Amino acid sequence: MHVTRRSFIKGIALGGFAGVLMARPGRALARAAAGVQSRPVLALVSGAVERSAFLQGIAETVPGEFLRVQRTDHGMGFVRDFNQLLRSGQPTRIIGLVDDASAALIVELARASGARVPWLGYHAASSGHSRHRLLSTESTRGCAMRLGRQLSACGAGFSLSEQRPHHAETSFELAARPHNGAAGDSDRWAAALGFILAAPDAELSAWMPPSVGTRPPLAGNFVSFAIET
Amino acid sequence: MTEQNYAILPPGVESQAFHNAVQQFRQLLGNENVLVKQEQLVPYMKIMMSVDEAGHAASAVLTATNVEQVQGVVRICNEHKIPVWTVSTGHNFGYGTAAPHHRGQIILDLKKMNKIIEIDPDLCTALVEPGVTYQQLADHIKEKGYKLWVDPPAPSAIVGPVGNTLDRGIGYTPYAEHFMFQCGMEVVLANGKVLRTGMGGVRDSNTWQVFKWGYGPYLDGIFTQSNFGIVTKMGLWLMPQPDVFRPFAVKFRKDEDIKDLVEMFRPLSINGIIPNGVVFAGTLYEASVTVRRSDYTTEKGATSKDVIQRIRDEHNIGAWTAYGALYGTHEQVEVNWRIVIDSIKKLGKGEIITEDHAGNDPAFKYRADLMRGNMTLTEFGLYNWRGGGGSMWFAPLSQAKGSETVKQVELATRILNKHGLDYVGEFILTQRALHHVIDVLFDRTDTEEMSRAHDCFAELLGEFEKNGYGVYRVNTAFMDRVANSFGPVQREVNKTLKRALDPNNILAPGKSGIDLDI
Ligand SMILES: Cc1cc2nc3c(=O)[nH]c(=O)nc-3n(C[C@H](O)[C@H](O)[C@H](O)COP(=O)(O)OP(=O)(O)OC[C@H]3O[C@@H](n4cnc5c(N)ncnc54)[C@H](O)[C@@H]3O)c2cc1C
């Protein structure tokens, strides 16, 4: 699939998700309470991520009409169209959770186009446990800590390390073992991550990622990013 | 962070001095070409190595658009003793990507110097700036209607001939050895002077891109894999489009077949029957196009032989798959094809696959694309084999002899498996030598695995060295270590040259282990 502006799916149209994500009138209030501003967001996903709680987390804070979701791959078509988008001159906030191969291209293309990358995260998830290695910056300050808190609250086991290579503050690390019976919630990290990347400045303390339900939890390795053109 | 409060400074440079330098850079290049904000620097940090990003974090990034600006950058760097790490397109995946050798160095990113200065369709030459990508060059050739091919490495579209050639990279057409097909350079030296190598020193010369050697000592080599200058223009030769291009693969079923297949292909390569960079891809390298390790196992550690065999069986992948191609007129290709077929028949093993047989096989398709100089990014599938963003190329040279390849594969596999990692490797044959290219893939979210990968890479270097093998290129974390493999005299000569050409040690200290401070 190619990333032409025309082909962007309005709202979340991947995998028949639209209903789940958009029929949530109560969320607008939550958004308002959290002080979230609505601005257009392009979410890039690959493989199983499009069926994961990641998009659900984003939809908690970005209204459907401001959200475009696009699948990635590492084909020439994607690269050409993504490059065009990066160089189109239109300010865009791009967030994503994708496979390693796509991420290598996306981040490098972003750099080549002169885009800013306030967040880069590497994630590994298996049933009941997840690992997170994060690079953050001034504008995503506190996001790693918020993700850590959400992970703690979910009860699944995790380890998280944040590096802020361009900051005097030292990096921090967090880890926890799974609470009893918490394995079923192990996909919540993806929801929390989606929320945080979509709204890095939002107040999150009272927010709890939605339960994952019956979907199989996200397993494998992923890369998350925020890119600003 | 206020700009006066820089989190990272170049080694030995005070904050105020750095601030003054940044102001001078701004004046020289304009604000938009001096990047000091964190979110502008993070994209230069996808290092993929078995070390923390912090050790390779730049203090600033500069982008220049012309030679005078590069000279200006060098002048300011000399004034403040600021080390500057230059990249052209900066996608040096598996070797440190665009990040500098050590923390605090500034990066000079030449991506905006991207002019194709000249292409001569008769002489089949090009003169390009460092930011030109293979995609750009191929598009330009197509637009002009020239019957010429480029020779990209596997990341083709996004990388460029200057950066790739300066790191002595390799491709897959008959022009695979890039430095062999490079002709003439323009180099900004540390003293600010501009050197044109080869015939480029002669006023009004029109032979700069056609004759490599010039007069006196041949200098181009000292500006590759080195830190003696900043290359601002490079000449290269382009391949005339042949009438016929015939790619093929030969699949071999057993691990030990590598021995015989190398013996068979070497004479065909040396005699010019198969003129391109022939690849012998191991199972997992080949599999990574379509298979992920997690499709078969989620257990930590090396992938078992049983699993590898299942992958071979279920995806019809050989223990080794050789990829070559024939080029030329119809008659030439027919004659050479007969020779190839006869050689394989005589060997008594190996399943020949032509383009027609291969159908839509994505592995065949992308290999054929590379041997034809087309753009493809399929090989990035390697990063999904294990996942986790860790990748370091271990790239020893081997004689083109079957017995040597067996020895290297066994040695590498034993060391990789001992550290819980896989042999994901291939050989690229260029007549007498084989680049043995092994992607050491590991999960950077797992600190224990990352540290195993580090030890593994060090052991690979050490054990190969004990057997008389050296690597042709390495990532920034291991450059100093590898320089030792090539002996103290080579190090001393390099240092002498460095002292003479760059006494302030401002150009990429650490590149290939050359640094006046160590
Ligand atoms: C899947 C995959 C497959 C790959 N396959 C291949 C392959 O087939 N062949 C191959 O060669 N590589 C391969 N690579 C490695 C690498 O990505 C390529 O070599 C790539 O071309 C290097 O990046 P670049 O061209 O952007 O060069 P750059 O990153 O711009 O430059 C490389 C280095 O050269 C030096 N340099 C660059 N510009 C200058 C300058 N102007 N002056 C002085 N010094 C300079 C610097 O030290 C720099 O680090 C592969 C990588 C991946 C991920």
Side-chain angles (χ1 to χ4, degrees), chain B residues 284-425:
Chain B
L284 297 185
Y285 207 107
E286 184 80 348
S288 66
V289 174
T290 45
V291 183
R292 290 177 188 216
R293 188 175 181 274
S294 58
D295 298 342
Y296 283 84
T297 177
T298 50
E299 272 178 29
K300 267 183 106 157
T303 309
S304 70
K305 282 192 167 161
D306 286 350
V307 166
I308 295 175
Q309 191 55 50
R310 272 180 56 210
I311 293 173
R312 286 176 185 168
D313 295 343
E314 290 172 18
H315 295 269
N316 189 24
I317 293 174
W320 294 99
T321 309
Y323 287 98
L326 304 181
Y327 308 74
T329 63
H330 185 73
E331 293 79 6
Q332 282 172 320
V333 167
E334 279 313 311
V335 169
N336 288 340
W337 183 235
R338 196 53 25 237
I339 297 171
V340 172
I341 300 270
D342 287 348
S343 303
I344 295 165
K345 275 197 186 137
K346 208 161 123 202
L347 190 67
K349 56 182 151 189
E351 178 195 346
I352 302 171
I353 295 150
T354 61
E355 205 161 16
D356 288 344
H357 292 138
N360 290 328
D361 176 6
F364 188 98
K365 162 100 179 57
Y366 101 82
R367 291 292 183 177
D369 276 339
L370 288 175
M371 293 189 289
R372 153 80 180 73
N374 280 349
M375 304 300 125
T376 162
L377 297 164
T378 302
E379 200 162 299
F380 276 82
L382 283 168
Y383 291 160
N384 288 340
W385 165 248
R386 190 173 280 266
S391 164
M392 297 184 289
W393 296 106
F394 176 65
L397 258 298
S398 166
Q399 285 186 339
K401 284 189 179 162
S403 54
E404 286 295 295
T405 55
V406 171
K407 199 171 144 192
Q408 287 206 354
V409 172
E410 282 175 4
L411 185 58
T413 307
R414 183 173 56 71
I415 295 165
L416 284 153
N417 289 178
K418 177 181 141 192
H419 292 276
L421 301 172
D422 295 324
Y423 174 81
V424 184

Side-chain angles (χ1 to χ4, degrees), chain A residues 74-76 79 83 99-105 107-120 122-124 131-133 135-139 159 163-168 221 223 228, chain B residues 7-8 38-46 51-54 57-58 89-91 93 97-98 103 109 111 135 157-158 292 375-378 380-381 383-384 386-389 443-446 450:
Chain A
H74 52 282
M76 287 300 300
V79 164
N83 230 339
D99 62 283
D100 285 282
S102 302
L105 288 167
V107 174
E108 289 292 300
L109 291 172
R111 173 169 59 69
S113 74
R116 294 176 301 283
V117 179
W119 171 279
L120 190 54
Y122 300 87
H123 313 270
R131 294 190 301 270
H132 310 270
R133 185 185 171 91
L135 280 180
S136 63
T137 59
E138 197 58 35
S139 64
S159 62
Q163 296 204 26
R164 304 188 69 203
H166 297 98
H167 205 275
N221 285 88
V223 181
E228 286 162 4
Chain B
I8 299 179
Q38 297 171 21
E39 54 268 32
Q40 295 172 316
L41 302 179
V42 163
Y44 288 83
M45 301 201 62
K46 202 170 185 333
V51 293
D52 281 341
E53 284 83 353
T89 37
H91 302 299
F93 298 105
T97 326
R103 185 177 170 83
D109 185 342
K111 65 184 176 186
Q135 177 79 66
I158 63 171
R292 290 177 188 216
M375 304 300 125
T376 162
L377 297 164
T378 302
F380 276 82
Y383 291 160
N384 288 340
R386 190 173 280 266
D443 184 346
R444 295 184 85 249
T445 67
D446 182 341
M450 189 155 128

Side-chain angles (χ1 to χ4, degrees), chain A residues 3-158:
Chain A
V3 190
T4 53
R5 294 203 81 85
R6 241 178 306 123
S7 76
F8 287 164
I9 302 155
K10 270 219 152 198
I12 296 181
L14 287 175
F17 241 98
V20 182
L21 289 163
M22 301 185 64
R24 285 172 175 267
R27 296 293 170 197
L29 282 177
R31 279 186 216 117
V36 178
Q37 286 179 7
S38 297
R39 52 180 168 161
V41 170
L42 166 63
L44 297 180
V45 292
S46 67
V49 177
E50 74 179 64
R51 295 180 300 278
S52 77
F54 179 68
L55 289 179
Q56 216 168 341
I58 298 175
E60 292 289 316
T61 173
V62 182
E65 64 271 27
F66 287 96
L67 181 61
R68 305 284 179 273
V69 181
Q70 187 64 46
R71 265 191 218 113
T72 69
D73 55 46
H74 52 282
M76 287 300 300
F78 172 77
V79 164
R80 192 177 44 240
D81 295 339
F82 185 59
N83 230 339
Q84 249 172 36
L85 173 75
L86 287 169
R87 292 164 195 268
S88 67
Q90 295 191 24
T92 313
R93 182 171 169 80
I94 305 164
I95 59 178
L97 186 64
V98 302
D99 62 283
D100 285 282
S102 302
L105 288 167
I106 288 166
V107 174
E108 289 292 300
L109 291 172
R111 173 169 59 69
S113 74
R116 294 176 301 283
V117 179
W119 171 279
L120 190 54
Y122 300 87
H123 313 270
S126 56
S127 142
H129 195 274
S130 61
R131 294 190 301 270
H132 310 270
R133 185 185 171 91
L134 313 169
L135 280 180
S136 63
T137 59
E138 197 58 35
S139 64
T140 49
R141 190 193 184 117
C143 289
M145 184 59 87
R146 271 181 262 161
L147 180 62
R149 279 202 211 104
Q150 293 293 331
L151 288 166
S152 293
C154 294
F158 74 93

